[in-house]
C-alpha cells in the first residue's frame, strides 16, 4: 500500500542514506526522526518498499514531505517520541540529527524503545579536520559537513565516535553494525575502537539494538 | 434511526449534492463534511444567496478535489436547514414544524445519517472523508465509528472535543437567539416570525472567533465607516462594526435560528475520548485509515494544540498520519480560503493516497 512517487534526485542521496538503506530490511516499518524534506524516506520507500513515517521539526520540511505524499508529522525528537508505543517500528532512524537534539541520551533511549532497532548517523567531532581547525585557527570548526558558524548552528551536542560507543555501552546498547566514513563519503576499514577511526572518520553510521 | 439522546427519529430526509462521476468499482467517492453554518452547496451556487459554493476553491475540475477524477458527495447535516430533516421541517406526528420538539442531536447522529446515505448510494467505502471545523469533527467520528468505511480522512482546523471556551462562545450565541422576543419559545415559524436580531448577534459573536486579531486589524484597523470623525453614538462608527452587522444580517436570510441552537449543541457535546473510556487513542485502535491533519497557526478557536492531541493519540494507535501546522494570520477561516500551503498539503496527500488505491 505504500506507494510514493520518487521525488528524490539521485544526487540528493547522501552516502549515509545509502548505508542506512543497506541496514534496513525490505518491507519493514520505519520511523525517520528529523526527516527534513523526506529524501531518505522517499529513497527507502522506493528502494526498500518500507512503510515509512517521519517526524520533522520545521514546518517547511513537513509541508514538503506531506505534499510529496509521505506520512510525516510536525514534531520534536526530544519531546514527541514518547507518544509512540513500544516497538511500533522495525527501525527508528536518526540521520545527522543526534547533534541537534537537546537530550541525545534520552533520544537514543527512545529510539530503541519505539524501534526494534535503531540506525544513527552523526558527524564525528574528533575528525582530524575539526581538531586541526580548533587547534590551529582557535575557532569553532567548520567543514563541508558542518558548514554553520557557531552562532547559527542547529547543532548543540557534538560527540566523537568514541563518545558514542561509550554512551552505547552505558545504555546497554549493542552496536550490531558500524560503518565509518572519511572525507567525501569514502568507507574506511579501521576498527571502530581504533584511534585512527576516531581521527579519520568524518561521520559514522550505526545499527543499534538492545 | 436511534439517536444518541435515546430518542428515535424516523422519516429522515437528507439533502445532498454530488459532483463528478462514481467510477465502476466505486472507489473514487469523497464525502465532504460541512462546518456549523455550511450546507450541501460545496461547489455550486447557493440557491438563497446566489454565491459560489463555500469550498469552490478546493472542489472542481482540475482542482485539488478534482471532479474529473473523484465523485464528490456533500450532504446537509442532520438538524440543518437546507433540506435535511431538522427543527424547521414538519414533524409528521403533529403536522407542524418540529421546533424545540426536535430531539437533541450529536455529531455521531450526523455521521450515522451520512452512513445511511452512503448505503443508499451503494458506496462501500469513501476514498476520503474531508472537512474542517465541525466538518473535521465529523471526519474524526467517521474514522472512529466506521474505520472500514473510510480509506482516508482529512480533518482540518478541528478538535476531538469542543473546548470549554468554545462551549462558552456557543452559549453566548444561543442566549442571543433565545433572548430575541421573536424567538417565541422556539415556535417562531408557527407564528410567522423570525428571531433575526438574536441570530444576527449570535453570528456576529461567532464570526469574530473565526478570524484572528491580525486578520481583523489588516482588514479594518480602527478605520471609520463613511465618516471622518467619531459620531459619539452607537451607530456603526467603525468599519469592523458595519462588517459584522452585514455578516449578521446576511446570515439570518439563509439560516434557521433553531438549527443554529441544535447544531451548536451537537458540537458542544462532541468528545471523542469520553466516548472511548477517556482514551482518545482507543477511539482509533487498530485503524488502517490514513489521516492527514492540518491546523493553522492563528486559529484560536481550534488551536494547533488540539490537532496535536489527535496526532498524539493516532501515534499511540500506530496509525498512518500526516500533520502540518500552516503558518497564516487568517485565523480559523483559513481552511475555507485559498491557502496555498493547505492546498499543497491536501493535494500531495490525495495524490499519494489515490496511487495506493489504484486511482492514479
Amino acid at each position: 500500500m505504500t506507494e510514493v512517487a520518487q521525488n528524490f534526485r539521485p544526487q540528493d542521496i547522501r552516502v549515509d542514506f545509502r548505508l542506512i538503506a543497506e541496514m534496513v530490511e525490505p518491507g519493514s516499518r520505519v520511523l525517520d526522526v528529523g526527516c527534513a524534506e523526506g529524501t531518505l524516506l522517499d529513497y527507502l520507500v522506493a528502494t526498500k518498499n518500507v512503510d515509512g513515517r517521519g517526524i520533522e521539526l520545521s514546518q517547511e520540511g513537513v509541508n514538503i514531505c506531506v505534499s510529496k505524499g509521505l506520512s510525516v508529522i510536525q514534531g520534536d525528537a526530544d519531546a514527541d517520541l514518547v507518544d509512540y508505543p513500544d516497538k511500533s517500528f522495525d527501525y527508528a532512524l536518526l540521520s545527522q540529527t543526534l547533534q541537534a537534539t537537546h537530550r541525545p541520551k534520552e533520544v537514543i533511549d527512545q529510539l530503541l524503545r519505539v524501534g526494534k532497532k535503531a540506525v544513527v548517523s552523526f558527524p564525528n567531532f574528533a575528525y582530524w579536520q575539526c581538531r586541526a581547525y580548533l587547534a590551529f585557527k582557535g575557532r569553532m570548526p567548520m567543514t563541508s559537513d558542518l558548514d554553520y558558524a557557531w552562532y547559527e548552528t542547529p547543532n548543540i551536542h557534538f560527540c566523537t565516535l568514541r563518545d558514542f560507543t561509550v554512551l552505547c555501552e552505558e545504555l546497554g546498547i549493542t552496536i550490531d553494525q558500524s560503518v565509518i566514513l572519511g572525507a567525501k563519503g569514502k568507507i574506511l576499514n579501521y576498527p571502530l575502537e581504533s584511534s585512527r577511526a576516531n581521527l579519520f572518520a568524518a561521520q559514522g553510521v550505526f545499527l543499534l539494538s538492545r | 434511526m436511534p439517536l444518541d439522546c435515546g430518542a428515535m427519529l424516523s422519516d429522515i430526509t437528507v439533502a445532498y449534492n454530488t459532483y463528478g462521476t462514481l467510477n465502476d468499482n466505486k472507489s473514487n467517492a469523497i464525502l465532504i463534511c460541512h462546518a456549523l453554518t455550511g450546507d450541501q452547496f460545496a461547489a455550486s451556487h447557493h440557491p438563497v444567496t446566489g454565491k459560489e459554493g463555500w469550498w469552490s476553491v478546493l472542489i472542481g475540475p482540475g482542482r485539488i478535489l478534482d471532479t474529473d477524477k473523484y465523485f464528490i458527495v456533500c450532504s446537509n447535516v442532520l438538524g440543518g436547514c437546507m433540506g435535511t430533516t431538522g427543527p424547521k421541517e414538519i414533524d409528521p406526528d403533529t403536522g407542524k414544524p418540529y421546533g424545540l420538539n426536535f430531539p437533541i442531536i450529536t455529531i455521531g447522529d450526523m455521521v450515522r445519517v451520512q452512513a445511511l446515505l452512503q448505503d443508499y448510494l451503494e458506496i462501500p467505502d469513501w476514498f476520503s472523508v474531508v472537512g474542517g471545523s465541525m466538518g473535521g469533527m465529523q471526519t474524526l467520528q467517521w474514522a472512529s465509528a466506521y474505520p472500514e468505511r473510510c480509506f482516508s480522512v482529512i480533518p482540518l482546523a478541528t478538535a476531538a472535543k469542543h473546548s470549554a471556551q468554545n462551549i462558552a462562545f456557543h452559549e453566548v450565541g444561543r442566549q442571543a437567539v433565545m433572548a430575541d422576543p421573536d424567538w417565541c419559545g422556539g415556535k417562531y415559524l408557527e407564528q410567522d416570525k423570525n428571531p433575526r436580531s438574536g441570530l444576527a448577534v449570535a453570528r456576529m459573536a461567532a464570526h469574530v472567533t473565526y478570524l484572528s486579531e491580525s486578520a481583523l486589524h489588516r482588514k479594518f484597523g480602527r478605520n471609520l465607516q463613511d465618516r471622518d470623525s467619531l459620531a459619539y453614538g452607537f451607530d456603526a462608527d467603525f468599519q469592523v462594526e458595519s462588517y459584522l452587522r452585514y455578516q449578521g444580517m446576511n446570515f439570518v436570510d439563509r439560516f434557521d435560528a433553531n438549527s443554529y441552537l441544535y447544531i451548536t449543541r451537537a458540537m458542544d457535546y462532541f468528545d471523542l475520548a469520553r466516548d472511548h473510556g477517556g482514551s482518545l487513542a482507543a477511539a482509533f485502535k487498530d485503524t488502517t485509515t490514513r489521516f492527514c491533519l492540518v491546523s493553522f497557526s492563528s486559529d484560536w478557536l481550534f488551536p494547533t494544540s488540539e490537532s496535536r492531541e489527535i496526532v498524539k493519540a493516532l501515534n499511540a494507535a500506530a496509525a498512518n498520519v500526516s500533520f502540518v501546522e500552516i503558518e497564516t494570520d487568517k485565523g480559523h477561516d483559513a481552511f475555507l480560503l485559498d491557502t496555498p500551503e493547505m492546498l499543497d498539503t491536501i493535494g500531495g496527500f490525495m495524490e499519494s493516497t489515490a496511487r495506493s488505491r489504484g486511482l492514479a
Side-chain angles (χ1 to χ4, degrees):
Chain A
M1 93 158 244
T2 44
E3 275 190 52
V4 175
Q6 289 190 24
N7 297 296
F8 58 84
R9 300 173 306 169
Q11 63 265 39
D12 291 338
I13 305 306
R14 304 190 317 229
V15 181
D16 64 314
F17 289 176
R18 285 186 209 284
L19 292 170
I20 291 169
E22 279 172 28
M23 293 176 179
V24 168
E25 289 289 326
S28 50
R29 281 173 59 85
V30 170
L31 176 68
D32 187 2
V33 181
C35 61
E37 296 180 0
T39 311
L40 174 60
L41 269 181
D42 244 354
Y43 182 63
L44 289 171
V45 170
T47 61
K48 291 282 176 163
N49 190 32
V50 302
D51 180 3
R53 314 284 167 84
I55 303 181
E56 169 56 31
L57 193 56
S58 80
Q59 184 208 335
E60 203 194 342
V62 182
N63 283 12
I64 292 170
C65 289
V66 177
S67 56
K68 279 179 184 175
L70 296 165
S71 298
V72 172
I73 65 162
Q74 199 169 20
D76 183 345
D78 282 299
D80 295 335
L81 287 174
V82 292
D83 300 335
Y84 293 89
D86 291 356
K87 308 296 176 209
S88 42
F89 292 90
D90 297 309
Y91 299 91
L93 312 181
L94 193 67
S95 156
Q96 302 288 339
T97 301
L98 182 65
Q99 71 277 9
T101 61
H102 284 272
R103 294 178 301 161
K105 189 175 165 184
E106 284 77 5
V107 169
I108 292 176
D109 221 25
Q110 285 293 329
L111 285 180
L112 278 166
R113 182 189 63 77
V114 170
K116 292 173 192 153
K117 295 193 175 227
V119 183
V120 177
S121 75
F122 62 89
N124 173 27
F125 208 62
Y127 181 49
W128 71 270
Q129 279 190 2
C130 294
R131 299 193 199 192
Y133 205 104
L134 185 60
F136 296 115
K137 293 195 182 181
R139 298 187 58 186
M140 287 302 283
M142 282 175 69
T143 65
S144 54
D145 288 338
L146 303 170
D147 54 353
Y148 294 102
W150 64 273
Y151 48 81
E152 61 183 8
T153 177
N155 301 322
I156 49 179
H157 280 126
F158 279 118
C159 71
T160 69
L161 290 190
R162 192 158 293 160
D163 288 326
F164 185 73
T165 50
V166 168
L167 178 64
C168 286
E169 239 170 74
E170 246 177 60
L171 291 171
I173 290 169
T174 313
I175 298 176
D176 293 332
Q177 205 184 329
S178 64
V179 182
I180 55 174
L181 300 169
K184 294 181 184 146
K186 187 171 174 291
I187 294 178
L188 304 177
N189 288 316
Y190 308 125
L192 176 60
E193 308 293 340
S194 69
S195 299
R196 298 176 85 183
N198 207 27
L199 185 61
F200 291 114
Q203 56 173 314
V205 185
F206 300 86
L207 176 65
L208 311 174
S209 66
R210 182 140 52 190
Chain B
M1 190 188 84
L3 300 173
D4 281 335
C5 69
M8 285 293 286
L9 195 61
S10 45
D11 299 322
I12 299 172
T13 303
V14 181
Y16 65 97
N17 268 339
T18 69
Y19 311 93
T21 317
L22 188 63
N23 62 7
D24 289 341
N25 56 6
K26 301 179 176 182
S27 62
N28 69 336
I30 296 176
L31 177 69
I32 306 291
C33 301
H34 68 71
L36 166 59
T37 63
D39 48 52
Q40 66 273 37
F41 302 101
S44 42
H45 285 277
H46 195 283
V48 178
T49 64
K51 283 188 185 162
E52 232 186 292
W54 56 269
W55 233 5
S56 291
V57 63
L58 224 76
I59 304 165
R63 303 218 169 125
I64 301 293
L65 302 178
D66 191 345
T67 45
D68 291 335
K69 187 170 169 186
Y70 303 115
F71 176 61
I72 291 171
V73 179
C74 184
S75 66
N76 190 211
V77 294
L78 181 66
C81 51
M82 290 301 292
T84 296
T85 302
K88 130 177 181 299
E89 306 302 324
I90 302 295
D91 179 351
D93 292 344
T94 62
K96 293 178 189 165
Y98 279 105
L100 290 195
N101 287 330
F102 195 72
I104 292 289
I105 48 160
T106 64
I107 300 289
D109 295 327
M110 292 176 183
V111 166
R112 221 164 284 136
V113 169
Q114 290 165 345
L116 291 173
L117 175 64
Q118 187 183 22
D119 292 341
Y120 172 78
L121 295 171
E122 296 178 352
I123 292 167
D125 63 334
W126 302 108
F127 167 60
S128 198
V129 180
V130 192
S133 196
M134 184 182 86
M137 291 177 166
Q138 293 164 57
T139 67
L140 295 171
Q141 177 70 28
W142 262 103
S144 173
Y146 302 102
E148 71 290 349
R149 282 172 170 238
C150 35
F151 190 74
S152 68
V153 294
I154 307 184
L156 310 170
T158 193
K161 63 173 186 299
H162 215 219
S163 71
Q165 177 177 267
N166 292 357
I167 296 170
F169 276 114
H170 274 175
E171 179 60 4
V172 170
R174 284 189 294 263
Q175 288 302 329
V177 169
M178 295 190 281
D180 188 320
D182 284 347
W183 183 60
C184 309
K187 295 185 174 170
Y188 51 90
L189 288 175
E190 290 170 53
Q191 302 186 24
D192 208 19
K193 287 180 176 167
N194 191 358
R196 296 172 64 87
S197 314
L199 185 58
V201 170
R203 177 61 170 180
M204 287 166 75
H207 203 86
V208 176
T209 69
Y210 303 152
L211 306 171
S212 68
E213 155 60 15
S214 55
L216 272 178
H217 182 77
R218 182 163 32 82
K219 229 167 167 175
F220 309 108
R222 289 181 52 88
N223 297 338
L224 300 181
Q225 177 78 29
D226 303 330
R227 66 192 72 200
D228 300 324
S229 57
L230 298 176
Y232 294 98
F234 295 107
D235 282 345
D237 277 10
F238 296 100
Q239 282 177 6
V240 64
E241 293 173 319
S242 34
Y243 168 75
L244 283 180
R245 289 181 188 193
Y246 169 79
Q247 290 292 342
M249 290 322 289
N250 219 16
F251 181 61
V252 298
D253 293 331
R254 68 173 180 90
F255 215 82
D256 174 60
N258 282 337
S259 264
Y260 194 83
L261 303 183
Y262 277 90
I263 299 177
T264 55
R265 204 66 185 139
M267 286 180 79
D268 292 349
Y269 279 175
F270 187 62
D271 184 348
L272 207 46
R274 185 202 53 207
D275 295 345
H276 293 81
S279 159
L280 188 54
F284 304 113
K285 196 172 176 289
D286 299 325
T287 184
T288 55
T289 301
R290 296 182 67 163
F291 293 77
C292 179
L293 287 92
V294 177
S295 72
F296 300 92
S297 57
S298 52
D299 183 352
W300 54 278
L301 197 61
F302 290 94
T304 291
S305 57
E306 307 253 1
S307 284
R308 281 197 190 283
E309 283 299 309
I310 302 166
V311 171
K312 206 169 144 176
L314 287 167
N315 282 338
N320 189 334
V321 49
S322 295
F323 162 61
V324 182
E325 178 193 33
I326 285 164
E327 204 66 50
T328 171
D329 74 346
K330 289 175 185 161
H332 181 61
D333 264 355
F335 82 90
L336 293 167
L337 306 173
D338 187 359
T339 310
E341 292 89 347
M342 176 186 81
L343 299 180
D344 285 350
T345 301
I346 300 176
F349 178 80
M350 292 300 287
E351 254 177 60
S352 74
T353 310
R355 268 198 301 277
S356 61
R357 176 111 167 165
L359 283 175

